[in-house]
Amino acid sequence: MSRPRFLGGSFVFDITVLGELLIDFTEQGETESGITLFARNPGGAVANVAVAAAKQGARCSFIGKVGADLHGKFLRETLERNGVDTRALRVTRDAFTTLAFVALDHGERSFAFARNPGADTLLAPDELDDTLLQNTRVLHIGSLSLTDEPSRTATLRAIAVAKSAGAIISYDPNYRAPLWKNEADARLQMRSLLPYVDVMKLSEEECELLTDSKSPDVAARHLWRLGAQCVVVTLGARGALFCFRGKTAEVPGFLVEVVDTTGAGDAFWGGFLAGLLQTPPQTLAEMAALVRRGNAVAALCVGKSGGIPAMPEQFEVDALLQDGQSSLFF
């Protein structure tokens, strides 16, 4: 299978993301009477990636749908305030903006969703901005837009339009069990995108879902053989593993105090994609440097609460990279 080159040239956007934009209600302590408090944080995996990349200097845009409600308005304003273009963000009165409730236990998360349906699942194929899709260097997608129609068909059409125009297709499956009918359906739909993918990130826990192997090394090599130009598996405390040009290597992360892991993987991938477009890698060493940059973005993210609000600025990432003290990812 032929592999596309990382794009140069002049494009309106560096990275366009398509998928969920939602509210993360994250545990924030208790009242004096013991009632749990939740903080409203803007989030959604692909939206997190867009903001993370924008803060690292990439020109980013968002494609998706929110409700005609106060949360939808807040989310649009948040993206725009963080430098992400929202011309392709649609609004519906047929469903409420999707809500996620995030419980934290020593920084680790469990989820509950208000999405039956959520506005993000109602993005229709005829609502896509083809001009935008034809003028972006990267189209980044997750799997949550595949859980329901019409967003599933819209996702597949967006991939076709962007890929035919020469865009790199980026993929992070971002498995969330409560949003799928069952695991078998998740496996089927998540794997359906693999033939179109040029670069992808997955967690260690997602390896078996995507490849039937629990081994990050085996999974990364398998996905590379299917056609992905670069595959990265995040490994928790051990850092991240990548497969590039058929070779695999691990890159350690950074020792940080964990506050909240929400958005860590998205931060990693936003930093990685921004670096990828700034300095297209030719060697394993250059790819390792991009993975290390992703590790730095993620390390700074987990030191704060929330998804989008925790995404670091470029000067913070540069400072951490210059310090050179790598040890743990998150």
Side-chain angles (χ1 to χ4, degrees), residues 230-233 239-243 249-254 268-269 272 285-297 321 329:
C230 175
V231 179
V232 180
V233 182
L241 174 146
F242 70 88
C243 183
E250 290 192 21
V251 181
F254 295 81
F268 173 95
W269 200 235
F272 177 91
E286 290 172 346
M287 184 58 72
L290 293 179
V291 174
R292 188 168 182 268
R293 174 168 286 275
N295 284 346
V297 180
L321 288 168
F329 180 40

Side-chain angles (χ1 to χ4, degrees), residues 227-287:
Q229 194 171 357
C230 175
V231 179
V232 180
V233 182
T234 53
L235 302 175
R238 302 197 310 281
L241 174 146
F242 70 88
C243 183
F244 180 60
R245 298 189 171 179
K247 305 291 185 180
T248 59
E250 290 192 21
V251 181
F254 295 81
L255 181 61
V256 295
E257 181 179 351
V258 175
V259 174
D260 180 3
T261 60
T262 301
D266 307 325
F268 173 95
W269 200 235
F272 177 91
L273 289 177
L276 178 78
L277 295 175
Q278 291 167 5
T279 310
Q282 301 299 322
T283 67
L284 290 178
E286 290 172 346
M287 184 58 72

Side-chain angles (χ1 to χ4, degrees), residues 1-5 163 193-199 222-230 245:
M1 179 179 295
S2 62
R3 301 178 189 277
R5 294 176 299 169
K163 199 168 184 70
L193 297 187
L194 296 179
Y196 312 106
V197 171
D198 300 310
V199 294
H222 174 77
L223 294 167
W224 181 84
R225 285 194 296 271
L226 289 180
Q229 194 171 357
C230 175
R245 298 189 171 179

Side-chain angles (χ1 to χ4, degrees), residues 185-196:
D185 186 50
R187 286 174 181 261
L188 176 66
Q189 296 301 331
M190 289 163 65
R191 295 183 185 198
S192 72
L193 297 187
L194 296 179
Y196 312 106

